[in-house]
Amino acid sequence: QVLADHLWPGPLTMILPKRPEVPDIVTSGLPTVAVRFPNHPIARKIIEFSGTAIAAPSANPFGYISPTRAEHVARLLGGKIDYLVDGGACEVGLESTVIDMTCDVPKILRPGGMPLERIIEIIGPVEMPEKKSAVVSSPGQLDSHYAPSTPLFLFEYGTLDIGNAHRLIEGMDLGSVAVVVFDDARAQEAKHAGFPMVFTLSPNGNLRDAAANLFALLHELDSRQFSVLIAEKCPDEGLGRAINDRLYRASVK
């Protein structure tokens, strides 16, 4: 209740015990349900018009890059849906943070648009997800997810150069290699290292802007038919944790 009072509406999903009126088909028979209260005015108006809670999947094929604009949904699901409500580009750009509130200590299942620091500020310590957990209890926990069709290779923040990327791009035309970095400073270094096609998540190094731009940029690059995508992580703090999580799950393992 404290989290709801402080952070809803907003990009936070809470795993809670399922009440009897929630159909089993909504939770795949599990005794818990994921609940979120979105902040977008159109989403809230649709909920208001429905007169009840709404159960809905993500608007993208399983495992593929999440959509952040209506045109992404149209391209991915165009022939499979009857109507598309265009609410503009997503403000946050990342899926919600998912936290399991049924544990003795609340546990983050998926980093997302609500920064970990803000949650800890309100309720104190929380557990973080285990790497490669055998149990998948939340969307986005799969080791491979949010992936473009173009192979994406991931480097730690500040480590990408021609030398350590050589094995990935040997024999390739560098014009067919797209590089994604955090800010203009890293972009300049990547260009100086010899990469001609460099794209920046946030020119001035703002993590909120980087989060909002991440999936839209991956959609754009995937549509441009590059041979390979090479991405470098963001600083691992605040929304950077969620950005890095999505990049890891989108990358070739």
Side-chain angles (χ1 to χ4, degrees), residues 94-168:
L94 291 174
E95 301 84 0
S96 60
T97 298
V98 179
I99 184 168
D100 188 347
M101 301 302 293
T102 68
C103 311
D104 291 334
V105 178
K107 183 176 183 179
I108 300 293
L109 300 185
R110 179 183 71 186
M114 185 60 67
L116 173 66
E117 291 85 349
R118 181 70 177 116
I119 295 172
I120 292 174
E121 178 185 314
I122 295 168
I123 63 171
V126 299
E127 290 187 14
M128 294 301 292
E130 301 173 13
K131 290 292 185 183
K132 296 194 175 183
S133 171
V135 178
V136 177
S137 54
S138 169
Q141 283 188 292
L142 295 170
D143 198 39
S144 181
H145 202 39
Y146 313 113
S149 56
T150 309
L152 184 149
F153 296 91
L154 185 61
F155 287 78
E156 294 297 323
Y157 177 70
T159 66
L160 176 62
D161 60 40
I162 286 286
N164 59 18
H166 179 73
R167 64 180 179 82
L168 302 176

Side-chain angles (χ1 to χ4, degrees), residues 3-56:
L3 279 181
D5 289 343
H6 283 80
L7 301 180
W8 276 355
L12 178 70
T13 296
M14 287 193 269
I15 307 295
L16 302 169
K18 182 175 81 70
R19 290 167 57 107
E21 57 264 42
V22 178
D24 284 344
I25 193 172
V26 171
T27 65
S28 299
L30 295 175
T32 57
V33 62
V35 181
R36 185 164 76 91
F37 185 15
N39 193 34
H40 196 287
I42 292 179
R44 294 175 67 177
K45 184 62 69 173
I46 291 172
I47 295 170
E48 179 186 342
F49 285 157
S50 76
T52 185
I54 294 177

Side-chain angles (χ1 to χ4, degrees), residues 160-179:
L160 176 62
D161 60 40
I162 286 286
N164 59 18
H166 179 73
R167 64 180 179 82
L168 302 176
I169 59 177
E170 186 176 7
M172 287 187 184
D173 173 9
L174 286 179
S176 71
V177 177
V179 172

